[in-house]
Amino acid sequence: MPLIGTCHYDTAIDYYTATENFYKSLNIPDIRSMKNSTATSIKKAFVAINSHLFSSGMKVSMASHNRLKEIKICYNLRGQVVSCYT
């Protein structure tokens, strides 16, 4: 999900609409079909099919046994992908 806080929006509807639009702008790779998926391979799969993404603009968390736990994509207040590590 985007890392834009709810305080940026005037209403909850605006926040959820923006969140939905961010989600709709993503092509989601078929992670379930990946063999031995890792945080790195998942990032590469997203970047390969989303020209606006780059590796440092994503955080991928894995649970035990290389199970996907969470994917975060970092955005600035203009809705542009930014590095999660700045």
Side-chain angles (χ1 to χ4, degrees):
M1 300 303 284
L3 293 178
I4 295 175
T6 56
C7 60
H8 176 71
Y9 298 95
D10 293 330
T11 68
I13 291 172
D14 292 341
Y15 171 76
Y16 286 109
T17 299
T19 301
E20 182 177 17
N21 289 337
F22 285 126
Y23 180 79
K24 286 179 179 178
S25 75
L26 292 173
N27 293 308
I28 310 295
D30 185 7
I31 296 169
R32 290 182 183 161
S33 69
M34 295 173 70
K35 294 182 181 178
N36 301 320
S37 59
T38 64
T40 300
S41 65
I42 291 169
K43 281 184 180 185
K44 286 181 180 180
F46 267 87
V47 169
I49 61 173
N50 291 279
S51 61
H52 65 289
L53 288 182
F54 48 92
S55 184
S56 68
M58 301 177 64
K59 286 185 178 181
V60 178
S61 300
M62 304 298 284
S64 60
H65 305 292
N66 272 346
R67 294 184 56 148
L68 177 62
K69 183 177 178 183
E70 179 179 58
I71 297 172
K72 292 182 181 179
I73 300 173
C74 300
Y75 296 91
N76 65 18
L77 294 177
R78 292 178 297 225
Q80 299 164 322
V81 178
V82 296
S83 175
C84 297
Y85 304 99
T86 57

